[in-house]
Amino acid sequence: MKELRSLNKFLIRYKWRLLLGVLFIICANWFNLYPAQIFRNAIDIVVETINTYKHMKGSELQSEVYENLGKALLIFAGLLLTVAIIKGIFTFFMRYTIIMVSRFIEFDLKNEIYNHYQKLDTSFYKENKTGDIMNRIGDDVSKVRMYLGPSIMYLINLVVLFALVITTMVNINAELSLYILLPLPVLSVTIYYVSQLINIKSERVQKQLSKLFNISQETFAGIRVIKAYNKSNSTVEKFNQEAKNYRSIAMNLVTTESLFYPVILFLPVLSTLITIYVGGLEVIKGTITFGNIGEFVIYINLLTWPVASLGWVTSLIQRAVASQKRINEFLSIEPKIQNQTNEACQIKGAIEFKNVQFTYPESGVEALKDISFKVQPGQTLAIVGKTGSGKSTIVQLLNRLYDNSSGEILIDNDPIQLINLNDLRNQTGCVPQDVFLFSDTIGNNISFGTFTKDQKSNQKDIEWAARQAVVHETIKQFNKGYETVVGERGVTLSGGQKQRVSIARAILKSPQILIFDDCLSAVDTETEEKILTNLKQIMANKTTIIVSHRISSIKDADHIIMIENGKIIEEGKHDELIQLSGAYKNLYEKQLIED
Ligand SMILES: Nc1ncnc2c1ncn2[C@@H]1O[C@H](COP(=O)(O)OP(=O)(O)OP(=O)(O)O)[C@@H](O)[C@H]1O
Ligand SMILES: [Mg+2]
């Protein structure tokens, strides 16, 4: 239960509403008792009247007695109806207040988890599957809500009802009450064990559901590859296989659950039989009336559902504990990349790597072995190298998506870890290798990095950035221009268009440090040339880092480093590197021939 303690702060936040809910529970249960008493009186009057009626055989008064009974019963019926309505009203408010609190807490909890997700760094997202991350905020929160809503409500209800019903019963006849109540603990314990079983089986169902969710999620994300490789059938088969597994596990659960209800129904019947038998003996003795037997039967029925629900509630709570445990595990993960200062910082753009080494924590791959270089504001640094040589890793370290394992990264001569992370990211414009566009309009995608939410106000700037990225003319050709919605991840744009929209997004930020990670790869050389010329103007006095496979994109850079296996193998200006007649020249000549 200690896992659920973390929810107490929410319960305290809504304590007044909860207290009101408890008050409604007490009122509703108070009115729950009346029908039984009305019923007892009605039976007693009927029995009495029949006796009197028999005695008055032949007398004129007989029909009057008969009429009076009719009137009395009508009054009882009216009373029953009134009590039922009042009870209904209180029950409504009881559910309304308590279930509402659980919805409020669900909302708060979802927000807390979502905000925490935003703080966690990239390695968290690489270690955890999207399906699991989604489950924490969806399914697990729902289970916790079942604890906060129905479980708490039924538990309080049970306590109140028991207190009221049992005192009333014992007051009437203690011995009879004892006999009747005897089967009830058996009911509770049985239901507890059955629900334990149900729990284990539900967990299995849940796990299989997660699996199904992950499969379908991945299928939808990779639908283009699946179609291109004509793998729809095998994907469907794989899904069907898992769905079949799901069905058999779920059917197993259904069977157990079906056993559950006969148990609930059988034991109260036993109590009823005892009431009639033992109660009958008591009536003969004269200690109770016929009406009392009827009253007790109603009490048994009143108690049955709450007692049965005790087992059910226990299982709900157990599930909530398991879910909250998973939620707590996620919430307790501290982001590895911490912002160590809130001091505002104006970045000038000098960058220095000193013997930087980096190993990916998830895979243990040593991506950078010993990297040292220096860039001054206003300069352009180019990084070339074979695929997998570590270029994107350098970019990620510069954005502090990871922290370097050893060595030092200095920004304006300060260690990167000591610079305000928000300022670092705000003043750096990065065009990542795997372009990502949101399913929004092109305009909003370009203005994503700037702070004005209202796109209209900076339409001019957006167009300016698009012109610099040589994509303005293309966007103009679309029917809706900048208002064109690009589809999920930008599926409606070509690779080169996506790259240029992404470049415009970074340019619009007018960052102090601009990083292009191989983002001109899908752009033809002529357009590339134009973009680079534009950049020179925009980035005067600022720092530009260009990662590329193509020497044509970088030959004008102030400094070029060529890396292989996480190490710099050659560096210098284009002409110097050509004169070296090494790997760089080799690559250059190959590309010239290709052109
Ligand atoms: N998230 C990651 N987790 C573990 N290893 C990674 C991760 N990203 C990259 N690597 C590994 O680090 C090495 C360097 O990768 P990096 O992405 O920096 O190469 P790159 O030079 O950018 O290549 P490309 O030109 O293909 O983009 C590779 O061996 C790669 O397998
Ligand atoms: Mg890369």
Side-chain angles (χ1 to χ4, degrees):
M1 288 291 284
K2 73 168 192 296
E3 299 291 345
L4 294 179
R5 238 176 264 161
S6 55
L7 293 170
N8 289 352
K9 64 169 188 264
F10 296 116
L11 291 176
I12 292 171
R13 188 177 300 166
Y14 297 107
K15 59 178 178 292
W16 296 118
R17 274 174 199 275
L18 273 176
L19 278 178
L20 195 66
V22 174
L23 197 70
F24 285 132
I25 292 179
I26 295 174
C27 294
N29 279 311
W30 189 260
F31 283 95
N32 235 340
L33 294 179
Y34 280 116
Q37 286 157 19
I38 295 170
F39 197 61
R40 181 211 356 162
N41 286 321
I43 291 182
D44 286 344
I45 283 182
V46 169
V47 172
E48 242 169 68
T49 317
I50 288 174
N51 284 340
T52 333
Y53 189 81
K54 278 182 188 157
H55 280 299
M56 293 190 169
K57 215 173 181 180
S59 136
E60 272 183 14
L61 284 173
Q62 203 183 26
S63 62
E64 202 175 304
V65 169
Y66 187 77
E67 267 168 33
N68 280 344
L69 177 65
K71 276 181 203 153
L73 290 183
L74 216 62
I75 292 172
F76 283 129
L79 270 177
L80 273 179
L81 197 69
T82 320
V83 168
I85 290 172
I86 297 176
K87 191 198 132 191
I89 292 172
F90 279 122
T91 311
F92 168 77
F93 280 113
M94 155 185 126
R95 300 190 71 95
Y96 184 73
T97 31
I98 295 204
I99 303 292
M100 185 147 70
V101 167
S102 75
R103 289 289 181 190
F104 280 144
I105 299 182
E106 179 186 31
F107 174 81
D108 291 348
L109 192 59
K110 279 192 176 176
N111 276 337
E112 185 178 335
I113 299 173
Y114 190 80
N115 285 341
H116 189 70
Y117 279 170
Q118 296 295 319
K119 282 188 211 131
L120 291 172
D121 35 59
T122 35
S123 50
F124 169 81
Y125 289 95
K126 285 185 178 152
E127 280 160 23
N128 293 286
K129 287 196 180 137
T130 317
D132 289 336
I133 296 175
M134 297 292 286
N135 262 344
R136 283 314 86 84
I137 207 163
D139 198 59
D140 281 331
V141 173
S142 305
K143 283 194 185 143
V144 171
R145 189 193 74 79
M146 287 302 277
Y147 154 70
L148 293 166
S151 304
I152 289 188
M153 184 173 75
Y154 285 124
L155 273 182
I156 302 175
N157 193 39
L158 180 74
V159 172
V160 173
L161 187 72
F162 251 73
L164 290 175
V165 171
I166 290 180
T167 18
T168 320
M169 281 168 75
V170 170
N171 272 340
I172 297 170
N173 189 314
E175 199 187 332
L176 180 60
S177 308
L178 190 71
Y179 282 122
I180 295 173
L181 293 174
L182 270 185
L184 288 182
V186 183
L187 179 65
S188 253
V189 173
T190 321
I191 286 173
Y192 173 73
Y193 281 107
V194 180
S195 38
Q196 283 283 69
L197 207 62
I198 289 180
N199 251 336
I200 297 170
K201 294 186 176 178
S202 318
E203 284 296 311
R204 263 184 234 151
V205 170
Q206 202 47 52
K207 261 205 190 123
Q208 186 62 20
L209 197 63
S210 270
K211 210 168 172 184
L212 273 185
F213 190 82
N214 273 329
I215 292 178
S216 33
Q217 204 256 338
E218 202 162 53
T219 311
F220 299 142
I223 193 76
R224 291 213 273 187
V225 182
I226 291 172
K227 289 219 181 280
Y229 280 76
N230 201 18
K231 284 287 177 194
S232 303
N233 285 343
S234 61
T235 316
V236 170
E237 252 166 51
K238 188 176 165 197
F239 184 84
N240 275 348
Q241 190 50 47
E242 294 299 340
K244 268 186 201 148
N245 287 347
Y246 175 75
R247 186 177 61 188
S248 68
I249 298 173
M251 287 313 286
N252 194 313
L253 176 66
V254 170
T255 319
T256 317
E257 277 177 338
S258 311
L259 281 175
F260 196 69
Y261 291 97
V263 173
I264 300 180
L265 294 178
F266 175 69
L267 289 163
V269 170
L270 205 64
S271 287
T272 311
L273 286 178
I274 297 175
T275 320
I276 295 172
Y277 179 71
V278 181
L281 292 179
E282 295 286 317
V283 172
I284 293 170
K285 270 195 248 163
T287 40
I288 60 171
T289 65
F290 283 115
N292 286 131
I293 296 183
E295 188 183 0
F296 271 49
V297 170
I298 294 184
Y299 289 143
I300 295 164
N301 281 314
L302 274 184
L303 290 180
T304 307
W305 168 241
V307 170
S309 74
L310 187 63
W312 177 65
V313 164
T314 321
S315 81
L316 280 188
I317 294 178
Q318 280 176 340
R319 283 197 217 182
V321 170
S323 289
Q324 187 61 37
K325 188 173 167 209
R326 286 193 289 263
I327 293 175
N328 287 344
E329 269 166 20
F330 266 30
L331 287 180
S332 67
I333 298 175
E334 285 287 325
K336 287 180 195 127
I337 309 288
Q338 294 275 4
N339 191 8
Q340 296 180 3
T341 167
N342 284 321
E343 217 173 290
C345 155
Q346 184 58 46
I347 289 171
K348 292 188 198 74
I351 301 171
E352 186 176 0
F353 270 50
K354 273 187 183 167
N355 309 100
V356 171
Q357 186 267 340
F358 177 72
T359 306
Y360 276 103
E362 309 94 61
S363 63
V365 172
E366 192 183 22
L368 298 181
K369 293 187 177 118
D370 181 19
I371 299 283
S372 304
F373 63 80
K374 233 176 171 173
V375 206
Q376 293 305 330
Q379 282 194 333
T380 303
L381 171 81
I383 308 174
V384 275
K386 285 194 190 127
T387 155
S389 53
K391 305 182 295 294
S392 298
T393 309
I394 296 182
V395 172
Q396 299 202 49
L397 292 186
L398 266 176
N399 255 320
R400 264 196 97 194
L401 292 180
Y402 289 96
D403 274 336
N404 50 312
S405 314
S406 69
E408 247 186 330
I409 300 176
L410 304 173
I411 305 275
D412 299 336
N413 294 324
D414 285 324
I416 194 168
Q417 283 82 2
L418 299 185
I419 288 175
N420 188 331
L421 189 60
N422 297 322
D423 287 332
L424 176 72
R425 289 190 182 155
N426 282 339
Q427 295 174 37
T428 313
C430 181
V431 188
Q433 193 168 15
D434 45 347
V435 174
F436 187 92
L437 298 185
F438 296 93
S439 54
D440 200 343
T441 62
I442 295 182
N444 284 345
N445 263 297
I446 295 179
S447 64
F448 178 75
T450 50
F451 295 98
T452 38
K453 283 203 187 95
D454 183 11
Q455 193 210 327
K456 291 264 165 357
S457 65
N458 57 10
Q459 183 61 30
K460 265 204 187 119
D461 297 336
I462 292 176
E463 285 183 19
W464 168 80
R467 274 203 190 89
Q468 303 306 313
V470 198
V471 69
H472 175 71
E473 295 304 324
T474 318
I475 297 172
K476 276 272 144 176
Q477 280 167 17
F478 295 141
N479 274 346
K480 291 188 180 163
Y482 284 86
E483 293 298 318
T484 312
V485 175
V486 299
E488 211 173 2
R489 282 172 235 209
V491 278
T492 55
L493 297 185
S494 78
Q497 287 166 349
K498 270 193 280 188
Q499 284 192 336
R500 280 176 289 154
V501 169
S502 185
I503 291 172
R505 177 196 280 167
I507 289 177
L508 185 59
K509 267 178 90 175
S510 54
Q512 279 308 113
I513 301 172
L514 185 65
I515 306 170
F516 275 18
D517 188 358
D518 213 3
C519 61
L520 291 164
S521 59
V523 178
D524 59 87
T525 16
E526 196 186 324
T527 314
E528 178 183 30
E529 197 78 32
K530 280 188 204 157
I531 297 175
L532 291 172
T533 319
N534 292 341
L535 270 192
K536 249 185 217 136
Q537 275 186 4
I538 308 167
M539 296 305 288
N541 307 323
K542 297 173 181 176
T543 312
T544 315
I545 295 181
I546 299 179
V547 174
S548 181
H549 280 111
R550 261 196 309 214
I551 302 231
S552 62
S553 345
I554 54 145
K555 61 181 189 302
D556 294 330
D558 298 300
H559 192 71
I560 300 169
I561 58 176
M562 187 162 189
I563 58 174
E564 198 174 295
N565 283 329
K567 276 187 190 151
I568 296 180
I569 49 168
E570 286 174 18
E571 63 181 310
K573 281 195 189 328
H574 177 71
D575 296 338
E576 296 164 9
L577 288 170
I578 294 292
Q579 276 177 2
L580 267 182
S581 295
Y584 184 87
K585 191 184 175 200
N586 216 338
L587 185 69
Y588 182 58
E589 282 175 347
K590 265 190 208 151
Q591 288 183 357
L592 271 186
I593 295 167
E594 273 170 26
D595 276 353

